[in-house]
Amino acid sequence: MNLSPAAENSVVAATKSCSVELVSESLESESSSSWSVRAHLEVAYEIQMLDNILGAENRALIEAGSTGRVGRPRRFIVVDENVHLLYGNALRGYFDHFNCEYELCVLPASEELKTMEAVFRIVDGLDDFGISRRHEPIIGIGGGVVMDIVGLASSLYRRNTPYVRVPTSLIGLVDAGVGIKTGVNFGHHKNRLGSYFSPSVALLDRAFLKTLGQRHVSNGLAEILKLALIKDAQLFRLLDEHAELLLDERLSGRTVTGEIVARNVFSRAVSGMLEELQPNLWEKKLERVVDYGHTFSPTLEMRALPELLHGEAVCVDMAFTTVLAEERGMVSAPERERIFALMRRLRLPIGHRLFEIELLEQALLETTRHRDGLQRVPLPVGIGGSCFVNDLTSSEIAKAAELLRYRDEVATSMSGKGV
């Protein structure tokens, strides 16, 4: 995939391009008839890196997803309630400035509330507000939870309503905001209900990170670390060399050095994610390196709610699979120590009290079903490489869990002594 910058702010196009073709065949006999239909759908959307998205001089948000129809613009805007507390006045000022008729749907957003009830709340609001189906896109502003909920609601509402993503968390900026997956939790299962539905555009503004809590910065850095470990050794080096700077400045570039590092990290993370997603948008191929850290973490995250954030659960999974890889000779002891040290410096967990054999076996069973009957577990090969395995055993998993627990306890003890 070619990733082309436009001026200083890079604009990345993620496109699955196919010519639209409809083929109909009829096979007739005296006793029966049958038809075969094949259609190819083009999917094209943009990811734009912007500064000051809510500035009166910036028309990107008011124009995003619009077909250019003349008349007063109308927008239905779904915003995370925490984001609304911080930016509600700025949002109103922005849309008032452009004489836009709008409705703000303020949505409580957490994994516990990431359900169909949230989707229905959006649909109720859409019906009350009334939008034209093609030229009045829904706008979602918030973290990854809001991105997923708004995307699913848009895919369902009138079967296909355009929407715009404005992620405000780090995990939204580098992960949930740039792909086409949508979803909500159901029962005890993460993202059990969902769809593949691309936004018209995703607008990425790192300025939102200035008000992001420190724990949520670490949460997003876990997804960046994921890409570094399985495909980008240079990204790992950047994280390793500048972990404290990235945390302190929240990747928002308060200093010249911080800005250079943050832009580099951010660009590599988004580009790396899109390189993996674009050839496989609908997950026809189930061996996906971006599933690293997502074999055991969905079950852990849902059982631990609300104790663990998504990226924290992913990091525990990555630590565990690093131990599995070390035991198979794919990762050296010094490499594992370096990986674990960086996780701690990024203020991420490497173990959890619920990470026991019963949970691990159940998680692997669920994941194997999700991956069509094969484990397809991504494991790191050194730092920056990966492979897939299908032969993990219960005894191997139990041993790795015990080793992880021991190393976590030792590290915690040494940390408590100031080492």
Side-chain angles (χ1 to χ4, degrees):
M1 179 180 66
N2 295 322
L3 304 176
S4 56
E8 191 169 301
N9 296 325
S10 65
V11 179
V12 180
T15 309
K16 180 69 176 180
S17 183
C18 305
S19 59
V20 178
E21 176 188 8
L22 179 63
V23 179
S24 180
E25 300 174 354
S26 175
L27 303 174
E28 297 188 22
S29 68
E30 292 183 0
S31 59
S32 65
S33 297
S34 66
W35 289 262
S36 175
V37 178
R38 296 190 301 274
H40 301 274
L41 175 67
E42 181 183 71
V43 172
Y45 62 104
E46 287 189 342
I47 295 95
Q48 299 181 9
M49 299 168 63
L50 305 171
D51 295 318
N52 193 26
I53 193 173
L54 297 180
E57 75 289 347
N58 194 334
R59 298 186 60 87
L61 183 55
I62 194 66
E63 293 178 350
S66 175
T67 60
R69 184 177 294 185
V70 177
R72 186 185 183 193
R74 301 177 76 252
R75 297 291 183 271
F76 185 84
I77 305 152
V78 183
V79 57
D80 180 304
E81 67 175 359
N82 293 318
V83 175
H84 182 257
L85 286 172
L86 293 166
Y87 298 99
N89 290 336
L91 277 170
R92 291 183 180 87
Y94 180 88
F95 288 103
D96 287 341
H97 174 77
F98 288 104
N99 189 31
C100 178
E101 180 185 353
Y102 62 90
E103 178 71 25
L104 290 183
C105 174
V106 180
L107 197 68
S110 67
E111 283 295 331
E112 299 97 309
L113 300 176
K114 186 182 173 184
T115 67
M116 286 302 298
E117 293 304 316
V119 173
F120 296 151
R121 178 173 174 181
I122 293 172
V123 171
D124 284 338
L126 288 167
D127 274 347
D128 290 342
F129 182 65
I131 62 170
S132 293
R133 190 178 180 187
R134 290 289 177 261
H135 74 283
E136 294 176 355
I138 302 166
I139 297 176
I141 303 176
V145 171
V146 167
M147 298 296 99
D148 282 352
I149 294 172
V150 172
L152 182 56
S154 300
S155 72
L156 294 173
Y157 192 71
R158 300 187 185 277
R159 297 188 181 90
N160 178 345
T161 299
Y163 74 110
V164 174
R165 284 175 170 166
V166 184
T168 59
S169 67
L170 182 54
I171 207 164
L173 286 163
V174 300
D175 185 62
V178 300
I180 72 168
K181 289 202 294 187
T182 77
V184 296
N185 304 328
F186 181 78
H188 300 293
H189 304 290
K190 185 173 178 64
N191 292 332
R192 181 53 55 93
L193 303 175
S195 64
Y196 300 98
F197 189 59
S198 64
S200 300
V201 62
L203 303 176
L204 313 183
D205 185 354
R206 286 184 296 122
F208 288 114
L209 300 179
K210 294 176 182 178
T211 54
L212 193 65
Q214 191 71 65
R215 185 182 175 192
H216 288 275
V217 176
S218 295
N219 186 51
L221 283 167
E223 288 286 358
I224 296 176
L225 178 60
K226 172 191 75 176
L227 288 166
L229 288 174
I230 47 87
K231 69 168 289 168
D232 191 344
Q234 176 59 29
L235 180 56
F236 184 91
R237 285 192 289 272
L238 282 168
L239 295 174
D240 199 20
E241 292 172 6
H242 303 286
E244 290 74 20
L245 177 66
L246 291 166
L247 282 172
D248 182 57
E249 296 194 7
R250 292 172 166 79
L251 281 86
S252 59
R254 294 204 301 262
T255 63
V256 173
T257 300
E259 174 65 9
I260 293 171
V261 172
R263 277 191 174 270
N264 201 353
V265 167
F266 190 71
S267 179
R268 295 189 77 92
V270 174
S271 297
M273 179 65 75
L274 290 173
E275 286 170 1
E276 296 300 321
L277 295 181
Q278 179 178 256
N280 192 29
L281 280 177
W282 290 275
E283 299 184 15
K284 299 296 185 183
K285 181 181 178 183
L286 295 176
E287 289 187 343
R288 302 177 349 118
V289 296
V290 290
D291 280 339
Y292 180 55
H294 293 71
T295 298
F296 304 95
S297 63
T299 301
L300 172 63
E301 182 181 353
M302 295 304 291
R303 289 199 189 180
L305 283 177
E307 185 179 344
L308 284 176
L309 298 176
H310 174 72
E312 293 170 340
V314 168
C315 194
V316 173
D317 187 318
M318 292 192 296
F320 176 66
T321 46
T322 296
V323 172
L324 282 171
E326 181 187 8
E327 289 299 294
R328 290 194 172 206
M330 300 173 184
V331 171
S332 68
E335 286 171 330
R336 186 258 307 156
E337 290 170 359
R338 187 180 177 197
I339 291 167
F340 280 17
L342 179 55
M343 288 174 173
R344 294 188 190 98
R345 289 170 58 210
L346 294 175
R347 302 177 193 173
L348 290 164
I350 66 171
H352 191 271
R353 58 184 174 77
L354 295 180
F355 222 54
E356 302 286 350
I357 186 63
E358 182 274 329
L359 181 146
L360 293 168
E361 289 182 339
Q362 182 61 37
L364 186 58
L365 176 62
E366 284 288 331
T367 296
T368 301
R369 289 170 176 163
H370 184 63
R371 296 173 184 167
D372 198 33
L374 293 175
Q375 293 177 355
R376 307 180 203 264
V377 177
L379 293 180
V381 177
I383 294 174
S386 63
C387 70
F388 295 89
V389 301
N390 292 296
D391 58 348
L392 292 181
T393 65
S394 293
S395 59
E396 184 179 15
I397 290 171
K399 181 181 178 182
E402 187 61 33
L403 285 170
L404 180 65
R405 189 178 306 108
Y406 169 74
R407 285 164 180 156
D408 190 27
E409 289 172 353
V410 169
T412 301
S413 173
M414 299 296 282
S415 176
K417 295 177 182 177
V419 177

